[in-house]
Amino acid sequence: MKYLVLLIGDGAEKPWPEQTESEQAAAMAKFGEFDRACRDRDGVELLAGEALGDSAHATVMRTSTDGRVALTDGPYAEVIEGMGGFYLLEAPDLDVVVELLRVLPPYDIQIHPTVEVTS
Amino acid sequence: MREEWGRLVALLLSQFRRIDLAEDALGDAVEAASRTWPVDGVPDNPAGWLMTAAKRRVVDRLRTEAVAARKQQLLLTDAERHQEGARTMADSGSLVEDDVLRLVLMCAHPALAPESASALSLRLVLGVPTSDIARLFLVPAPTMAARITRAKKRIVGAGIPFAVPDASALPGRLDTVAQTTYLAFTAGYAPGTGPDLLRAELSGEAIRLARVVLGLRPDEPSLLALLALMLLQHSRRDARVSDGRLVLLAEQDRTRWHHDEVAEATRLLAAPCLGGPVTPLTASYVLQARIAAEHATVASAAETRWDRIVGLYDLLLQIAPSPSARLARAVAVAEDRGAAAGLDALEGLEIPDSHRPAAVRAELLSRAGETDAARAAYDQAIAACRNDVERAFLTSQRDGLG
């Protein structure tokens, strides 16, 4: 199955700007460890993964029924305020995803299966 | 048949990985059996017969799905299907385990809501009919059917595996199984609402679930301790109600307790694996079971060692603090050191949506001779009580005040 993994909040992790340099380095190391753990795991493939920029620079695009496009600044606060990044990965099941994600800092994470559309 | 249900569901799942199809197919097979066996005679291998019939149904359904999928121009070839089957069959876990254990772990997966997990376990592992589960959990049958269907869809949709996790994750998962089982037990032991004081059948089913898992993992501390606890509570079932009325522990006819179950629980509590370090969950089950054993193993209420019970509650509150445990400790304190000490121990205790703190306060105030305060507390408890038998009891206590 393919899963979109959203790092939706700091959770038990201290917010990035409040961390000391060595804490930030330790967090970064965990991301590297996660990459390696995914590579080493049978049936798992990391398809994409990015850290997101400041949410103040995000843009919301909405299209009305008559086709007009409206752009507003900022993401929907209730959905992705503070979202730090995402991964798209292929994994055999939920337990494997959860086990791998335990390597990351203790963020709040949403694990969302995708729909397979073949044409 | 009920004994075989979980094993057959597990076998079907290990072949097809489709919980939504497996259970329906087995239901169809059982239905077919109920029609043909009385006419043709029971086959030599009934379970094998059901398995073959159910497999045929699953394959039929998969074929139908494949045809429908082609119509939508989705390329889902048999080859791909086989490949997928082969991939999921390869178990990444480091343990070799029974399929039934995989089924139990799947039903009690932490990504499912606890109530759904309990219902699903009773349905899939034990084969309890959905209408019975609905009755036991006090919801309409269609509601329960929908809840179970939703849980099955979630298993497929979220990718909850039919697998045994590796040794490092297994104890945590078995703790969830224990909690799921205990939830089913308490739903029967002390129903919060409705006309029955207890639904002993549901408690009995929960005990059966624990036995199934212990049959697979005989030395699992959390399940051993939980089984001991459940047996001790369940052993009083015939004495807890008389003519539809609640009978308090002190007044229960102890000859009607199931002493064989008490003896089994006592043996379980002596298991070596409970002597070493255990998880907080296991420790809390052991302490609750020891408390229940204090009651179960004395010949009369007068001989109860309330001092020991208070001590056990003190330990329990350190490991698993909860308002219910504080309430029970206050009752024990009152028995050991008098009503005034019990009322002190109750100070500031509240349990949302529960009549029990008020009911205990009323009883202790009545013992302390504070009749007016007791009557007010009974009124409060009666207003909050949603169980018919308990409400009748509280009303008679209030009306009996001098």
Side-chain angles (χ1 to χ4, degrees), chain B residues 107-122 137 144 147 151 154 176-184 187 209:
Chain B
C107 290
H109 196 278
L112 296 171
E115 300 78 22
S116 306
S118 279
L120 205 59
S121 301
L122 295 179
F137 280 99
M144 183 50 80
R147 190 182 293 174
R154 178 154 170 77
T176 308
V177 170
Q179 284 167 303
T180 302
T181 308
Y182 197 27
L183 182 66
L209 184 58

Side-chain angles (χ1 to χ4, degrees), chain B residues 312-340:
Chain B
L312 289 165
Y313 272 120
D314 287 339
L315 287 173
L316 181 61
L317 285 168
Q318 281 175 28
I319 292 165
S322 77
S324 310
R326 269 194 66 200
L327 180 66
R329 179 184 174 275
V331 172
V333 167
E335 294 295 341
D336 188 37
R337 303 170 209 159

Side-chain angles (χ1 to χ4, degrees), chain A residues 1 3 41-43 90-96 98-99 111-114 116-119, chain B residues 72-75 80 87-88 92 109 111 154 156-163 165-166 173:
Chain A
M1 290 176 77
Y3 290 91
R41 185 66 180 251
D42 276 349
E90 172 76 41
D93 60 57
L94 179 63
D95 282 1
V96 172
V98 171
E99 190 195 320
I111 303 162
H112 208 129
T114 67
E116 208 87 9
V117 181
T118 328
S119 60
Chain B
Q72 294 166 37
Q73 296 187 317
L74 294 176
L75 295 173
E80 273 176 328
R87 194 180 62 206
T88 47
S92 58
H109 196 278
R154 178 154 170 77
V156 177
I160 291 173
F162 179 70
D166 63 33
R173 291 290 305 281

Side-chain angles (χ1 to χ4, degrees), chain B residues 9-271:
Chain B
V9 171
L11 277 171
L12 285 167
L13 264 177
S14 73
Q15 286 194 8
F16 298 107
R17 305 281 152 161
R18 285 284 300 269
I19 184 60
D20 47 342
L21 300 185
E23 199 214 355
D24 286 351
L26 188 55
D28 287 350
V30 169
E31 197 268 328
S34 71
R35 272 185 288 109
T36 57
W37 291 2
V39 182
D40 303 342
V42 176
D44 294 337
N45 177 359
W49 189 99
L50 288 170
M51 190 64 195
T52 308
K55 264 193 215 167
R56 226 174 266 146
R57 300 265 172 183
V58 175
V59 170
D60 282 352
R61 282 284 297 277
L62 287 173
R63 255 190 220 122
T64 314
E65 278 186 12
V67 169
R70 272 187 209 110
K71 274 183 194 152
Q72 294 166 37
Q73 296 187 317
L74 294 176
L75 295 173
L76 193 68
T77 63
D78 284 345
E80 273 176 328
R81 203 179 274 293
H82 284 141
Q83 200 186 0
E84 189 180 345
R87 194 180 62 206
T88 47
M89 285 294 276
D91 194 350
S92 58
S94 51
L95 289 167
V96 180
E97 290 285 358
D98 193 320
D99 284 338
V100 177
L101 183 58
R102 299 168 190 237
L103 180 63
V104 169
L105 289 166
M106 189 186 77
C107 290
H109 196 278
L112 296 171
E115 300 78 22
S116 306
S118 279
L120 205 59
S121 301
L122 295 179
R123 177 74 206 110
L124 297 185
V125 182
L126 300 181
V128 181
T130 303
S131 55
D132 286 356
I133 300 173
R135 198 170 50 75
L136 296 170
F137 280 99
L138 287 175
V139 298
T143 307
M144 183 50 80
R147 190 182 293 174
I148 289 176
T149 304
R150 225 174 13 248
K152 286 195 280 189
K153 282 199 178 128
R154 178 154 170 77
I155 286 173
V156 177
I160 291 173
F162 179 70
V164 177
D166 63 33
S168 65
L170 187 60
R173 291 290 305 281
L174 285 168
D175 275 5
T176 308
V177 170
Q179 284 167 303
T180 302
T181 308
Y182 197 27
L183 182 66
F185 180 82
T186 46
Y189 177 73
T193 56
D196 307 329
L197 183 67
L198 70 163
R199 293 188 291 275
E201 307 132 83
L202 181 53
S203 300
E205 295 291 8
I207 287 173
R208 200 152 70 82
L209 184 58
R211 287 195 194 281
V212 167
V213 184
L214 276 171
L216 307 165
R217 307 279 307 177
D219 295 319
E220 187 53 40
S222 61
L223 284 151
L224 275 175
L226 176 63
L227 180 59
L229 170 58
M230 293 193 298
L231 284 171
L232 285 161
Q233 306 291 37
H234 197 51
S235 71
R236 296 197 300 271
R237 61 192 170 280
D238 295 338
R240 286 179 70 206
V241 186
S242 169
D243 298 329
R245 295 164 65 90
L246 174 71
V247 184
L248 293 182
L249 188 60
E251 278 115 46
Q252 286 176 14
D253 176 357
R254 293 179 182 226
T255 62
R256 301 190 64 202
W257 289 359
H258 292 247
H259 293 284
D260 54 333
E261 292 170 6
V262 174
E264 187 189 353
T266 311
R267 274 199 307 279
L268 290 170
L269 283 175

